[in-house]
Amino acid sequence: MAVLEHSIAAEYYQSSAQMYAERAARLEEELRLWEAGDLHHVPEVPHRYSATSHITAAKPVIMDAPQVSPAVGVVRAA
């Protein structure tokens, strides 16, 4: 059983390493195109939702603070 678990873990880490290597190569290519000034290049966004779908207009927040009388002193812990 230990050999099987070790084999499964090795396959998992190998596939993760391959995935991140491919991702790094893709990002480096996008960065190279951006630095070269390729304005027609739009990077792929693999997310389900675009970033703008979560951005909403700013909503005003009203905070009513209680009035503090000037006679209130400072309390210090011992």
Side-chain angles (χ1 to χ4, degrees):
M1 194 62 158
V3 171
L4 178 61
E5 290 175 353
H6 177 76
S7 178
I8 291 170
E11 288 179 17
Y12 170 76
Y13 289 117
Q14 178 62 38
S15 64
S16 292
Q18 182 179 355
M19 178 193 67
Y20 284 117
E22 291 169 359
R23 181 175 186 222
R26 179 179 46 84
L27 292 173
E28 286 174 355
E29 177 64 13
E30 289 180 6
L31 182 59
R32 187 189 64 76
L33 290 172
W34 178 77
E35 287 176 338
D38 185 356
L39 301 177
H40 300 294
H41 176 72
V42 177
E44 292 180 27
V45 179
H47 306 292
R48 267 195 317 199
Y49 307 105
S50 67
T52 57
S53 68
H54 297 293
I55 299 172
T56 59
K59 297 177 184 174
V61 177
I62 299 173
M63 298 177 64
D64 294 325
Q67 295 295 324
V68 178
S69 68
V72 175
V74 176
V75 178
R76 293 196 173 106

